[in-house]
Amino acid sequence: MAKYEIIGGNPLVGTVTISGAKNAAVAILPAAVLVAGRCRVENVPDISDVRILLNILRDLGAEISQPEEGVVEIDCTEVTCTNPNPELVKKMRASYYLMGSLLSRFGKAKVALPGGCNFASRPIDQHIKGFVALGADVEETEEYVKLSPGPDGLHGNRVSLDVVSVGATMNIIMAACLLPGTTVIENAAKEPHIVDLANFLNTMGANISGAGTDTVKIRGVEKLRGGSYTIIPDQIEAGTYIAAVAATGGNVLVQNVIPKHMECITSKLQEMGAKIYNYDDSIRIISEGRLRGTTVKTRPYPGFPTDMQAQICVCMALASGGSRLTESVYETRFFGYCSELTSMGADIMINGKTAVVNGHPKLHGATVRARDLRAGAALVIAGLAAEGTTFVENIGYVERGYERIIEKFTALGAQIKRIED
Ligand code: EPZ
């Protein structure tokens, strides 16, 4: 197993360019199954989740080429298989988007239950609720979900989500695209990657309105044609680098971002004492001296993202004074990294949904393990800020979602390298 060796203490200085959004790419690529034509998708991050998805799509019969870095051309015209390879599907979470896209295009699907980061119980009952509302018969076992048309056939409908769910919102949008009639999703999630998926599908001829609000309307169309689309920058990758500069100190220009998407993150780091300068498609962060403690509550977008919980916790662990971090999306997410940070000298007390963090001037190096994608990213930040050497093990999680992380941090002056065991 590979690990990172990090020699901490260097301030981060220079420029980093953010890649395409992971959580948009892992929805847009399965959505290409809806299109009987060639889609050219640009700004696709080269991460393991994307590589696995492309293998699943090839296995289904999609024609895929990658003519240049960050570009995927995918033609699903000849796809007929509606039962993606379970061994590949189980390697990641977002493979469940194939349920919606295969159901809409072919009227049926048999998809193994997803894998992915297991920092919490991650049910898919809201996805199933949507498919049933659209007229599907659902057979759900411990291994797979099988969808087929119910007695009244597949059709548009109103779906009111019981929980604000990114995945269910995306899956139902895909499932509704090619069905007769109109679908309205109420209590929909509003993340930037949902808007990105809707924009991709509309570029291919879909008729989706309201994405980014809590009510999304999808008017079914006969078919989708090919076209070109560029994925938005990754809000969480950008937030991770901004938090890293806040934790280590330094002065970095973060390029290829949408500042509006970053407000929920940068406003918190400004509260902690970092200086933030917004430009059209970049943000400069300057962090000098010690951060101040603050209070954060994670919320669905436009609130502070749960996927930034671990990263901001590292900043809190180094800040002067106390901080409170309350999780509202996944209650058990703290357990993916807090004990590891404690072994580096952090002072964190978890009490249900809230972690109380007493800041210390320094963390010290240790050998720690990544237990999920964002926990792993937080441990990298902690290692960069700590005194001494940190080894982060189990880095497969990190490389699922962060393109060229070693290269990007090294270019900012970090001492980090990848070691194969
Ligand atoms: C997406 O996961 C992201 N993953 C997660 O990012 C992110 O943490 C999460 O959204 C919240 O923003 C991808 O986009 C691939 P949800 P998802 O459905 O769709 C409950 C990362 O680090 N729920 O919005 O699975 C659920 O338990 C990953 O990039 C149900 O109860 O999240 C949770 O409490 C980690 N029933 C809440 O809703 C359902 O059917 C939000 O989950 C679905 C969800």
Side-chain angles (χ1 to χ4, degrees), residues 29-82:
L29 292 172
V33 165
L34 291 160
V35 183
R38 174 173 293 275
C39 299
R40 178 183 169 87
V41 186
E42 302 189 357
N43 206 28
V44 180
D46 180 19
I47 52 178
S48 59
D49 268 11
V50 164
R51 292 194 285 272
I52 293 168
L53 257 182
L54 292 177
N55 287 337
I56 294 172
L57 292 165
R58 278 189 192 93
D59 194 63
L60 284 176
E63 263 182 52
I64 293 173
S65 64
Q66 296 175 265
E68 55 194 277
E69 189 185 335
V71 176
V72 173
E73 296 199 347
I74 177 168
D75 187 335
C76 294
T77 308
E78 302 306 323
V79 169
T80 54
C81 174
T82 58

Side-chain angles (χ1 to χ4, degrees), residues 248-270:
T248 61
N251 181 337
V252 169
L253 181 66
V254 182
Q255 286 184 322
N256 190 34
V257 297
I258 298 174
K260 174 94 183 102
H261 293 165
M262 303 305 300
E263 280 171 8
C264 44
I265 299 167
T266 52
S267 59
K268 275 300 166 187
L269 288 166
Q270 279 175 307

